[in-house]
Amino acid sequence: DAGITQSPRYKITETGRQVTLMCHQTWSHSYMFWYRQDLGHGLRLIYYSAAADITDKGEVPDGYVVSRSKTENFPLTLESATRSQTSVYFCASTGGAYGYTFGSGTRLTVV
Amino acid sequence: ILNVEQSPQSLHVQEGDSTNFTCSFPSSNFYALHWYRWETAKSPEALFVMTLNGDEKKKGRISATLNTKEGYSYLYIKGSQPEDSATYLCAWSPSGSARQLTFGSGTQLTVLP
């Protein structure tokens, strides 16, 4: 199906473990983004990518790594998960002037 | 970090009431202002993208205006319905980083039947 899909929808992991959140879009949008949703802060940008092999830091990049070897995929990796990274993570993409399209979100709990 | 402020934080209205919210953003270096509707347990959906001072956009009972010189946008809902209950987010992007949005914290609207 066309769209932007995130996986998994829910994830529980332990402190110190590495975890990867997946994002896949089928529109060939050039721009992709990772946001986290935090109470009192709304959506905060973690990383974004303007095209394959081009990524850049957003507002809160520490503790996260991204890659974009193919236009359609933009995985987000938490290298060593901490409790402060418990959040809902949204992937989004845009191809132009019509706003972002968001994935359904991944709810991550770090215990 | 340049702030995008939304007010009020939350709002309860009766079905049939008209309502409006405010989004304030930096007036310098402006490129675009976005509005999104975010229902509980779903993902945000784009309502409007506005780029020109004085822009007005309309979608059904929802409309938005933009003042880039003073750095504010209003979102209006006419004749609110329970299905309008959601969080409404605005987001700003500067020229030079046109696709990199900074989001406000949102206005949570509850429409009571």
Side-chain angles (χ1 to χ4, degrees):
Chain A
D1 288 348
I4 183 165
T5 54
Q6 291 184 236
S7 61
R9 288 296 306 273
Y10 303 93
K11 176 76 177 177
I12 299 174
T13 192
E14 293 179 339
T15 302
R17 289 198 179 263
Q18 182 181 82
V19 60
T20 296
L21 311 184
M22 305 302 293
C23 179
H24 174 80
Q25 53 108 350
T26 58
W27 293 297
S28 299
H29 283 168
S30 54
Y31 278 81
M32 296 186 75
F33 308 85
W34 275 105
Y35 283 85
R36 56 180 286 173
Q37 178 195 4
D38 297 310
L39 278 174
H41 292 281
L43 291 171
R44 292 194 290 176
L45 181 64
I46 305 170
Y47 269 96
Y48 68 99
S49 168
D53 297 321
I54 301 175
T55 62
D56 210 344
K57 295 177 181 179
E59 182 186 351
V60 288
D62 292 343
Y64 303 95
V65 174
V66 293
S67 62
R68 194 159 176 215
S69 57
K70 293 184 178 181
T71 300
E72 61 266 31
N73 296 324
F74 191 38
L76 175 74
T77 297
L78 287 67
E79 296 181 292
S80 177
T82 64
R83 289 197 180 90
S84 64
Q85 292 177 308
T86 293
S87 187
V88 182
Y89 291 83
F90 285 96
C91 178
S93 71
T94 185
Y98 301 106
Y100 285 9
T101 301
F102 284 85
S104 301
T106 294
R107 184 175 293 276
L108 176 69
T109 302
V110 183
V111 297
Chain B
I1 303 297
L2 298 171
N3 281 335
V4 177
E5 305 280 350
Q6 291 189 246
S7 63
Q9 271 192 323
S10 65
L11 188 57
H12 289 72
V13 300
Q14 290 294 135
E15 182 175 354
D17 288 350
S18 294
T19 188
N20 65 86
F21 333 127
T22 305
C23 173
S24 301
F25 53 86
S27 55
S28 60
N29 211 28
F30 174 86
Y31 181 80
L33 193 284
H34 296 218
W35 281 100
Y36 291 82
R37 171 192 159 87
W38 192 1
E39 292 181 71
T40 302
K42 294 188 178 180
S43 49
E45 292 183 354
L47 285 172
F48 306 116
V49 178
M50 297 185 287
T51 57
L52 298 176
N53 185 45
D55 237 357
E56 290 189 31
K57 300 267 187 179
K58 189 173 180 183
K59 190 174 185 177
R61 294 178 290 98
I62 304 177
S63 60
T65 61
L66 179 66
N67 183 321
T68 62
K69 296 188 186 306
E70 295 181 44
Y72 65 84
S73 175
Y74 294 134
L75 187 80
Y76 300 92
I77 303 179
K78 185 177 177 182
S80 303
Q81 300 296 309
E83 57 265 31
D84 295 328
S85 297
T87 296
Y88 291 84
L89 297 174
C90 70
W92 165 86
S93 67
S95 54
S97 301
R99 290 182 176 84
Q100 188 177 335
L101 295 178
T102 298
F103 283 84
S105 299
T107 292
Q108 186 174 11
L109 173 68
T110 303
V111 182
L112 304 168

